[in-house]
Amino acid sequence: MTIADGWVELVQNRIDVPRSARLRLTENGLTSVPVTQAHTTTARRIQNQIEAGLPGWAAVGEFSLVPPREGYKPEPDGAALPLDQVHPGESEINEALLPFVVEVVSPESKNRGFDTKPSH
């Protein structure tokens, strides 16, 4: 699939997506998919483990990774960020600051979760 430069980022910045959904880039284009309770619970539990197991680090979620890749800013479900780099008013985090990101997947997302997201 070929996407015009910057199109996905433009759409992400202009569409107000409810917190109960996420935008996904799939073979069918940019789609809105619901976030299930199991997905939310799993992400929260992983973030709790990050907080408990990594002193000096904060668990973060609900953010966009920058710089964009192919015009797309991935939105992982969680990551660990050094405490001195936490800026509560910002919604983007530079990928260079993160040792890893967490993406919660489920059987229903196996064909899009692994194959259609840019690697970070």
Side-chain angles (χ1 to χ4, degrees):
M1 172 183 358
T2 303
I3 297 177
D5 287 340
W7 182 85
V8 174
E9 184 177 5
L10 175 71
V11 170
Q12 283 183 312
N13 289 332
R14 296 212 176 152
I15 293 178
D16 185 22
V17 179
R19 292 180 65 82
S20 61
R22 293 285 183 271
L23 288 178
R24 290 270 196 252
L25 181 59
T26 69
E27 62 187 26
N28 297 318
L30 196 63
T31 58
S32 177
V33 295
V35 175
T36 65
Q37 187 59 45
H39 182 279
T40 304
T41 299
T42 301
R44 178 181 44 82
R45 288 179 178 168
I46 291 170
Q47 290 177 19
N48 289 346
Q49 292 178 51
I50 292 170
E51 293 279 342
L54 296 173
W57 293 79
V60 292
E62 305 289 331
F63 65 93
S64 298
L65 278 177
V66 290
R69 299 226 177 147
E70 299 174 8
Y72 178 65
K73 294 179 188 174
E75 297 176 351
D77 296 311
L81 184 66
L83 285 175
D84 64 345
Q85 295 297 318
V86 174
H87 303 289
E90 295 183 10
S91 61
E92 297 179 340
I93 298 175
N94 190 302
E95 67 179 38
L97 298 173
L98 306 173
F100 62 88
V101 296
V102 175
E103 184 63 37
V104 177
V105 295
S106 64
E108 66 84 22
S109 69
K110 69 180 179 183
N111 292 327
R112 64 180 155 73
F114 298 113
D115 299 333
T116 62
K117 293 180 183 177
S119 60
H120 269 267

